[in-house]
Amino acid sequence: QADLVESGGGSVQAGGSLRLSCAVSGLSYSSICMGWFRSAPGKEREGVARISASGSITYYPSALGGRFTISRDNAKKMLYLQMNNLKPEDTATYYCAPIICTTWRATSGWGQGTQVTVSS
């Protein structure tokens, strides 16, 4: 089963930026689509970005307004999420996970996640 270790979260003021990282093991990483998800108190977990196995195709919910960018380094088995112009509504715990390509369905258990807190 996959091991997923998220890092890079922290506390930032509105308008700031963070870069989240996800270290992946236990997978044939270069052949697997990946996604970033977040879970805020009182809300269901939601997908915020996903990427094809090669990294050539990405997808984001339109509500994010183009503020997030997902990328991957298959040689290093790493996944990244660049988050710009952060807003208080982005406050959540962020998780990475392998997914069924072109969907928001994770195919493995969740890691610990990394906390992002955005103050106004």
Side-chain angles (χ1 to χ4, degrees):
Q1 186 72 335
D3 288 329
L4 307 163
V5 181
E6 299 93 343
S7 62
S11 182
V12 66
Q13 291 184 328
S17 298
L18 286 171
R19 181 178 172 87
L20 307 185
S21 297
C22 171
V24 183
S25 62
L27 293 172
S28 181
Y29 181 62
S30 63
S31 66
I32 297 174
C33 297
M34 296 289 295
W36 281 99
F37 301 79
R38 68 186 180 188
S39 180
K43 299 184 64 178
E44 295 182 351
R45 195 187 306 269
E46 63 176 342
V48 299
R50 61 189 191 224
I51 190 168
S52 62
S54 70
S56 63
I57 302 173
T58 59
Y59 179 83
Y60 313 90
S62 59
L64 291 176
R67 298 180 297 114
F68 292 5
T69 302
I70 189 171
S71 61
R72 65 193 296 163
D73 185 333
N74 285 349
K76 296 180 179 179
K77 302 184 72 172
M78 294 289 293
L79 183 74
Y80 305 100
L81 184 68
Q82 180 67 44
M83 310 165 67
N84 297 326
N85 192 24
L86 285 162
K87 302 177 179 181
E89 64 199 57
D90 297 319
T91 296
T93 303
Y94 285 72
Y95 304 86
C96 61
I99 61 170
I100 297 174
C101 300
T102 75
T103 78
W104 294 116
R105 292 182 60 190
T107 62
S108 68
W110 304 98
Q112 186 173 350
T114 186
Q115 178 66 39
V116 171
T117 302
V118 184
S119 60
S120 60

